[in-house]
Amino acid sequence: MVGSTPGANNFANLLILAYDAATGSLLNKIKYSSGPGISEFGSSIVADEAGNIYVEGGTVGDGPDVMTLKFNSGGVLQWRQVWDGAAFAPFSNDSPVKILLDPNGDVLVAITGYAAHPSLGGGEALARLRARLRARGLRLMLDFVPNHMAPDHP
């Protein structure tokens, strides 16, 4: 189980709880904070065959950011990565959705939240596009091909 628990000065710390599947007894408890004055939480968790634990959750930066952590089977942090999407005014709002491991053991994270650049019409233009798509029974998923917007693209 993953979530958050109160930390120092009312800032949230990430919390991981492991329970015995047969008895429900608490096997392990891991609390994590990347530093003082930062609230963090976990929202999705997965373990590999070696017992390493991977967590996707949130932290703060210029707005909500997505944090991915790896703990070894002993609960010791191995690495931390933060995704901070585009931060156009007012701020980006990156949110964790789910973490998975692919067949090779590589970590896959699903994230929502982005901001349309003002030169592309900003959030208002994106909202109009979504409304037009919805009226046609379609939904916007993702179209991210950076070179298609490059100044040197033909």
Side-chain angles (χ1 to χ4, degrees):
M1 181 180 109
V2 67
S4 64
T5 187
N9 299 319
N10 295 319
F11 289 97
N13 290 340
L14 180 123
L15 176 66
I16 301 169
L17 300 175
Y19 293 98
D20 182 280
T23 66
S25 299
L26 182 64
L27 297 174
N28 196 6
K29 175 171 59 171
I30 302 169
K31 287 184 180 182
Y32 172 80
S33 173
S34 62
I38 298 175
S39 283
E40 295 169 321
F41 67 91
S43 62
S44 184
I45 188 168
V46 66
D48 64 19
E49 291 180 11
N52 296 305
I53 301 166
Y54 302 86
V55 175
E56 182 183 37
T59 187
V60 293
D62 56 2
D65 294 329
V66 175
M67 172 179 69
T68 306
L69 307 166
K70 177 186 178 182
F71 296 90
N72 68 18
S73 59
V76 177
L77 180 70
Q78 301 299 294
W79 52 258
R80 174 182 186 263
Q81 293 292 327
V82 174
W83 170 259
D84 180 11
F88 305 110
F91 296 117
S92 64
N93 291 303
D94 305 311
S95 299
V97 176
K98 188 167 182 97
I99 189 167
L100 300 168
L101 298 177
D102 73 9
N104 296 321
D106 294 321
V107 180
L108 307 172
V109 295
I111 299 170
T112 63
Y114 48 87
H117 193 279
S119 69
L120 299 174
E124 297 81 17
L126 184 59
R128 288 191 305 273
L129 173 63
R130 283 188 180 139
R132 291 173 59 201
L133 291 170
R134 223 179 355 263
R136 290 171 175 80
L138 302 171
R139 291 195 294 176
L140 177 64
M141 295 295 283
L142 174 65
D143 182 14
F144 183 71
V145 185
N147 288 346
H148 286 195
M149 299 302 291
D152 60 346
H153 188 271

